[in-house]
């Protein structure tokens, strides 16, 4: 129950009290012999509805209303308070019993709801019927012989009020929406007008010659049927309420069917009449309303089922197992290639569409299902009316009833079958492919591998699945390599290149790797597929060939071919970037004497160590090449200042001058270095090399010399 502000609750309590007091005053003033006991007590229904809808917080409204009613008819405050207390107990007990009953709905949607309401009213009214008359008896308002009749009348009045007014409030709190719609307006006005005029004629003697006095009170039952069938619960309660008012008004003015000089006798007749009218009309209306709700729910369920079947392109069928005739939906026949429903379809029509190789299997399954009363599930190929071959899947189940039936659904699964074939072919390729494949999550967590992956890496599926792909890392690539790789993957969804990884046994290998990304419908990465093959032998062969072509076989530094290629490239880079390029020619003096003194083997060893000393004093990006005999060339690229060449030249002279340790002796080398700067001394390969060689020849032992005096910027 939602929160209601206090001032709203207060206003509702005041309204309930005033309405309760007004109804009580009218009833007691006109339909009570002694001002306290009557056979109609409509406030009882108001009190019950108040507790059902608002709860116990509105009890002051009922109490104050009952108290004011007693004061208005001249009762003392004590008598009024006691009777009001009885009214409170009656309404509270009735609401408590109903709200605690799982079989009762406050919406009054089923005949049992009205039955529970009436039965509860019969029980709850006993409290008010006991307290009220006893209060009057103890206060000397009632003689002893009138106590039991008063209790009975009091009880009957409250039961009638609960049976009439409580349903009226519970149902009419929701206004009927379609009564005054244009298509129903005429019928609504006709119903209200004719039922009102009929009541006036029967109970207030309008048109006295129109109706025969015999059976005239039964006219209301005809209108109750009309109301129940066409206007439902609202119509019946409106008619019963209007009839009650007309009956009581006619009794008060001594007119119509219930006119009598004895008030209690007339009230008793009206009580039975209204109770019977309500007991017939309200359950009838509720029965029709409940059936209408069931039909609406069934229609909605059928609509949802039809929508669901259409959404998934599924046909439905219903087969009579006696004559094998079949009722179908439109999609059922469309699956077989028909543009519209055929006028007649049987099981044998279906079987005729099944291709011969599947026909016996399908029929055997159907006969078994019919014999054993089990479900029937099948998959088969059919030939449509246009000759196309399609795959279908169907299922059926038996329906209990007088006539044996089977109902089921049918789907065209051709696309699924083709996709299944593609999946099987893909899985066959995946498992037997000679190239390694792995499937990962977007974050590189491995979820699947193929046998070739295990063959290349040494990891089994149990060892690798669930691990991150970085487990294969070799450590030969720095962070910048992987950052660049992932930047391309995240921007383009794919990457390809060569990468060094490590097998399970620790052995390094190089692979040609292709990474592709699978995206979901929102464009977010879903899975990544890595495909690679081992190119280690090829890379080793390429490296060996490159070394043979570009490296000096004795010293391992570059050869003349590599020197000329690099010098030409670096001169172009220097010209584009505005850098200096220095070419150093290192001429080791009198190396022939070393060979003669120590032998060629020792000479080669000294030359190898000399090459390593030179390499150790230049940058990794610089090139050291053996030009001829004991002559080396050094390319220093991308220099900002020429003094870097001087520093390196001096360092090399010092390092080569350090003794070379042999097995039983030591050797010492002297050298001279010529330096040529591009673009200061030359701007092409041959000129620059010649300038450096000339400078080396002119240099003194253990010194370096520039081709020309350097130009400082």
């Amino acid at each position: 129950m939602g929160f209601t502000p206090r001032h709203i609750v207060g206003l509702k309590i005041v309204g309930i009290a005033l309405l309760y007091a007004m109804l009580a005053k009218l009833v007691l003033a006109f339909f009570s012999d002694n001002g306290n006991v009557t056979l109609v007590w409509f406030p009882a229904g108001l009190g019950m509805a108040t507790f059902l809808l608002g709860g116990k917080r509105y009890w002051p409204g009922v109490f104050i209303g009952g108290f004011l009613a007693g004061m208005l008819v001249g009762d003392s405050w004590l008598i009024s308070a006691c009777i009001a207390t009885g009214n409170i107990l009656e309404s509270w007990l009735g609401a408590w019993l109903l709200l605690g009953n799982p079989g009762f709905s406050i919406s009054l949607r089923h005949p049992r709801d009205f039955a529970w309401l009436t039965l509860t009213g019969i029980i709850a009214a006993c409290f008010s019927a006991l307290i009220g008359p006893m209060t009057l008896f103890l206060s000397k308002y009632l003689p002893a012989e009138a106590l039991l009749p008063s209790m009975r009348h009091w009880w009957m009045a409250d039961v009638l009020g609960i049976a009439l007014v409580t349903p009226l409030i519970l149902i009419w709190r929701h206004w009927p929406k379609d009564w005054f719609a244009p298509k129903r307006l005429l019928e609504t006005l006709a119903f209200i007008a004719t039922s009102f005029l009929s009541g006036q004629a029967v109970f207030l003697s309008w048109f006295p010659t129109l109706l025969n006095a015999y059976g005239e009170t039964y006219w209301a039952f005809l209108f109750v049927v009309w109301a129940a069938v066409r206007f439902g619960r609202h119509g019946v309660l409106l008619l019963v309420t209007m009839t009650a008012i007309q009956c009581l008004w006619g009794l008060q003015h001594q007119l119509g069917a219930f006119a009598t000089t004895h008030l209690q006798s007339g009230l008793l007749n009206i009580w039975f009449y209204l109770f019977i009218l309500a007991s017939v009309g309200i359950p009838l209306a509720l029965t029709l309303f409940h059936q209408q709700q069931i039909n609406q729910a069934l229609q909605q369920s059928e609509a949802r089922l039809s929508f669901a079947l259409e959404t998934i392109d599924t046909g439905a069928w219903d087969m009579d197992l006696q004559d094998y005739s079949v009722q179908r939906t439109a999609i059922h026949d469309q699956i077989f290639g028909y543009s519209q429903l055929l006028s007649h379809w049987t099981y044998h029509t279906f079987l005729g569409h099944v291709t011969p190789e599947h026909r016996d299997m399908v029929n055997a399954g159907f006969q078994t299902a019919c014999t054993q009363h089990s479900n029937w599930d099948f998959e088969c190929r059919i030939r449509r009316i246009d000759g196309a071959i399609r795959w279908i899947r169907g299922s059926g189940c038996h329906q209990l009833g007088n006539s044996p039936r089977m109902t089921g659904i049918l789907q065209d699964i051709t696309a699924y079958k083709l996709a299944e074939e593609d999946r099987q072919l893909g899985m066959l390729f995946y498992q037997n492919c000679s190239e390694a494949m792995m499937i990962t999550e977007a974050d590189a967590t491995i979820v699947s591998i193929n046998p070739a992956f295990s063959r290349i890496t040494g990891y089994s599926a149990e060892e690798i699945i669930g691990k991150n792909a970085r487990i294969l890392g070799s450590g030969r690539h720095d962070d910048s390599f992987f950052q660049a790789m992932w930047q391309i993957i995240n921007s383009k969804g794919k990457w390809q290149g060569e990468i060094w990884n490590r097998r399970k046994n620790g052995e390094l290998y190089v692979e040609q790797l292709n990474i592709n990304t699978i995206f979901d419908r929102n464009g977010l990465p879903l899975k990544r597929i890595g495909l690679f093959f081992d190119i280690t032998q090829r890379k080793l062969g390429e490296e060996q060939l490159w070394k043979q072509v570009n490296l000096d076989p004795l010293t391992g530094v570059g050869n003349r071919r590599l020197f000329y290629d690099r010098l030409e490239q670096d001169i172009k880079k220097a010209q584009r970037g505005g850098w200096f390029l220095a070419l150093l020619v290192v001429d080791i003096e009198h190396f022939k004497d070393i060979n003669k003194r120590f032998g060629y083997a020792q000479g080669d060893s000294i030359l190898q160590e000399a090459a390593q000393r030179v390499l150790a004093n230049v940058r990794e990006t610089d090139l050291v090449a053996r030009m001829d005999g004991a002559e080396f060339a050094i390319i220093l690229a991308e220099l900002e200042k020429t003094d870097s060449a001087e520093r390196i030249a001096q360092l090399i002279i010092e390092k080569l001058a350090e003794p070379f340790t042999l097995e039983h002796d030591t050797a010492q080398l002297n050298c001279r270095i010529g330096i040529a700067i591009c673009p200061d001394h030359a701007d092409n390969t041959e000129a620059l090399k010649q300038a450096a060689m000339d400078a080396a020849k002119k240099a003194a032992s253990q010194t370096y010399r520039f081709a020309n005096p350097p130009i400082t910027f």
Side-chain angles (χ1 to χ4, degrees):
M1 185 179 296
F3 173 76
T4 305
R6 290 185 178 181
H7 68 280
I8 299 297
V9 174
L11 290 175
K12 288 184 177 181
I13 289 175
V14 173
I16 292 169
L18 293 177
L19 182 59
Y20 195 101
M22 181 184 68
L23 286 175
K25 173 62 178 176
L26 289 174
V27 171
L28 294 176
F30 295 103
F31 306 108
S32 173
D33 284 336
N34 52 15
N36 288 102
V37 181
T38 179
L39 276 168
V40 288
W41 185 249
F42 298 134
L46 174 61
M48 182 73 78
T50 298
F51 275 84
L52 286 174
L53 295 175
K56 61 183 179 181
R57 61 179 172 176
Y58 291 107
W59 72 266
V62 178
F63 180 82
I64 295 171
F67 181 80
L68 291 177
M71 298 298 292
L72 290 174
V73 295
D75 290 339
S76 66
W77 67 268
L78 181 59
I79 294 176
S80 300
C82 290
I83 294 176
T85 301
N87 295 335
I88 286 289
L89 289 175
E90 175 188 78
S91 300
W92 172 82
L93 178 63
W96 179 75
L97 290 174
L98 288 173
L99 295 177
N101 183 357
F104 173 77
S105 171
I106 198 173
S107 299
L108 293 185
R109 295 177 175 273
H110 195 276
R112 68 168 177 270
D113 297 329
F114 179 72
W116 280 117
L117 175 64
T118 305
L119 179 60
T120 303
I122 291 172
I123 297 172
C126 295
F127 286 84
S128 180
L130 177 63
I131 296 174
M134 284 298 297
T135 300
L136 296 176
F137 172 72
L138 294 175
S139 301
K140 309 301 183 182
Y141 275 85
L142 284 178
E145 62 274 10
L147 178 60
L148 290 179
S150 295
M151 287 183 176
R152 183 176 67 253
H153 290 171
W154 198 296
W155 174 81
M156 293 173 65
D158 284 8
V159 170
L160 183 64
I162 292 172
L164 294 183
V165 178
T166 301
L168 178 70
I169 296 174
L170 294 180
I171 291 175
W172 271 89
R173 64 195 171 104
H174 300 298
W175 189 261
K177 298 179 181 180
D178 60 339
W179 276 26
F180 299 99
K183 62 180 181 180
R184 295 203 64 191
L185 180 60
L186 184 61
E187 182 184 9
T188 300
L189 295 177
F191 165 70
I192 295 175
T194 54
S195 58
F196 172 76
L197 292 175
S198 174
Q200 292 294 101
V202 174
F203 305 114
L204 290 170
S205 297
W206 284 21
F207 318 114
T209 60
L210 181 63
L211 299 174
N212 190 333
Y214 180 76
E216 59 185 354
T217 55
Y218 291 100
W219 281 96
F221 288 90
L222 296 178
F223 286 97
V224 161
V225 175
W226 184 8
V229 173
R230 297 295 299 162
F231 296 94
R233 305 173 301 164
H234 291 82
V236 169
L237 285 164
L238 176 63
L239 179 66
V240 172
T241 301
M242 187 165 54
T243 301
I245 295 172
Q246 290 171 326
C247 289
L248 294 173
W249 189 267
L251 176 63
Q252 176 65 25
H253 293 82
Q254 295 296 304
L255 297 172
F258 295 109
T260 177
T261 56
H262 192 270
L263 179 62
Q264 291 300 323
S265 176
L267 287 174
L268 186 61
N269 290 332
I270 291 174
W271 189 95
F272 279 109
Y273 181 76
L274 293 178
F275 195 82
I276 294 172
L277 186 66
S279 299
V280 172
I282 296 177
L284 176 61
L286 293 179
T287 299
L288 295 175
F289 176 78
H290 180 65
Q291 187 62 43
Q292 181 184 17
Q293 294 295 106
I294 293 176
N295 292 338
Q296 289 179 354
L298 182 60
Q299 291 174 359
Q300 292 174 356
S301 177
E302 291 177 348
R304 287 193 295 268
L305 177 60
S306 176
F307 173 76
L309 292 175
E310 291 177 2
T311 301
I312 60 176
D313 289 331
T314 300
W317 52 269
D318 183 350
M319 182 190 304
D320 188 330
L321 295 179
Q322 292 181 336
D323 60 6
Y324 297 111
S325 61
V326 183
Q327 302 296 322
R328 303 93 58 212
T329 61
I331 295 179
H332 175 281
D333 285 14
Q334 290 171 9
I335 291 175
F336 291 90
Y338 298 98
S339 58
Q340 58 186 5
L341 276 172
L342 296 183
S343 58
H344 182 66
W345 186 282
T346 67
Y347 169 72
H348 301 290
T349 308
F350 156 74
L351 207 59
H353 279 279
V354 178
T355 57
E357 67 270 17
H358 288 166
R359 193 171 297 156
D360 291 341
M361 174 194 67
V362 171
N363 188 50
F366 174 72
Q367 298 300 333
T368 300
C370 291
T371 303
Q372 300 179 358
H373 298 285
S374 59
N375 292 337
W376 178 38
D377 298 299
F378 60 90
E379 279 187 12
C380 65
R381 295 204 305 170
I382 62 168
R383 184 179 296 277
R384 288 164 40 114
I385 191 64
D386 57 7
I389 300 296
R390 309 288 290 182
W391 276 94
I392 63 170
R393 174 187 294 158
S395 63
C397 61
H398 286 271
Q399 299 296 321
L400 300 177
N402 296 328
S403 176
R405 310 189 67 81
M406 182 183 288
T407 60
I409 58 173
L410 192 73
Q411 288 180 303
D412 185 328
I413 60 169
T414 306
Y416 167 80
K417 280 291 188 179
L418 293 176
E420 179 68 14
E421 290 179 5
D422 290 342
R423 189 191 69 81
Q424 292 177 354
L425 289 174
M427 182 58 66
L428 185 65
F429 172 79
Y430 180 70
Q431 293 295 329
N432 295 279
C433 180
S434 60
E435 297 177 343
M437 300 180 69
M438 67 176 176
I439 302 174
T440 73
E441 301 286 0
D443 62 356
T445 300
I446 300 173
V447 297
S448 178
I449 63 171
N450 70 342
F453 181 97
S454 298
R455 187 172 62 253
I456 293 175
T457 66
Y459 288 99
S460 65
E462 293 76 11
E463 294 171 320
I464 202 72
I465 290 177
K467 304 292 181 59
N468 193 281
R470 71 172 65 96
I471 193 175
L472 301 173
S474 65
R476 292 191 58 167
H477 302 286
D478 56 16
D479 292 341
S480 61
F481 173 86
F482 290 105
Q483 289 174 0
M485 182 183 76
W486 278 105
Q487 183 178 4
I488 295 174
I489 292 174
N490 291 330
S491 61
K492 298 183 178 180
K494 57 184 179 179
W495 181 88
Q496 62 179 2
E498 296 178 1
I499 185 170
W500 283 89
N501 275 332
R502 189 180 301 274
R503 307 185 205 274
K504 180 183 176 182
N505 61 8
E507 178 185 348
L508 292 177
Y509 70 99
V510 62
E511 63 186 39
Q512 178 67 41
L513 174 62
N514 287 272
I515 298 176
N516 288 280
T517 304
I518 300 174
F519 297 92
D520 63 14
R521 63 181 60 187
N522 298 317
L524 299 176
L526 183 63
K527 293 285 189 296
R528 303 194 196 276
I529 299 177
L531 184 146
F532 63 89
F533 51 92
D534 188 344
I535 60 172
T536 306
Q537 295 302 319
R538 190 188 78 186
K539 290 296 291 184
L540 291 176
E542 290 175 354
E543 285 186 18
Q544 186 64 30
L545 178 61
W546 186 88
K547 288 179 180 179
Q548 291 174 357
V549 173
N550 294 282
L551 298 184
D552 177 59
L554 176 61
T555 61
V557 298
N559 59 16
R560 294 173 65 87
R561 180 181 183 280
L562 181 61
F563 166 76
Y564 281 110
D565 287 344
R566 277 287 301 274
L567 183 58
E568 184 176 357
Q569 294 175 15
D570 288 345
I571 288 175
K572 292 179 180 178
K573 288 182 181 178
Q575 291 172 345
R576 288 196 301 267
W579 303 97
F580 290 109
L581 182 146
L583 174 61
L584 283 66
V585 173
V586 181
D587 183 16
I588 299 176
E589 299 176 314
H590 310 298
F591 197 79
K592 291 181 179 179
D593 296 339
I594 297 292
N595 285 332
K596 289 180 180 179
R597 178 181 174 186
F598 299 105
Y600 285 98
Q602 293 291 349
D604 290 345
S605 176
I606 293 172
L607 196 60
Q608 290 172 348
E609 185 176 345
Q612 295 303 313
R613 291 185 184 185
V614 174
L615 277 174
N617 289 281
V618 297
R619 300 169 299 178
E620 290 185 1
T621 56
D622 299 331
L623 175 68
V624 176
R626 183 186 178 198
M627 301 299 291
D628 188 18
E631 185 180 76
F632 293 91
I634 304 171
I635 301 174
L636 305 178
E638 298 183 2
L639 298 178
E640 294 182 359
K641 297 179 180 180
T642 58
D643 57 2
S644 298
E646 294 182 71
R647 178 178 55 80
I648 293 174
Q650 183 61 43
L651 193 59
I652 290 173
I653 291 172
E654 294 174 356
K655 293 297 182 181
L656 290 178
E658 294 177 357
F660 290 81
T661 302
L662 304 177
E663 291 182 1
H664 304 291
D665 204 347
T666 59
Q668 190 168 355
L669 298 180
N670 294 325
C671 72
R672 51 189 177 180
I673 300 176
I675 305 174
I677 304 296
C678 176
D680 297 343
H681 303 136
D683 59 0
N684 62 78
T685 303
E686 286 298 330
L688 192 67
K689 186 194 93 160
Q690 191 61 47
M693 292 178 68
D694 292 344
K697 291 177 182 179
K698 295 177 181 179
S701 179
Q702 294 296 92
T703 65
Y704 60 87
R705 179 185 178 89
F706 282 92
N708 287 311
I711 301 175
T712 304
F713 293 89

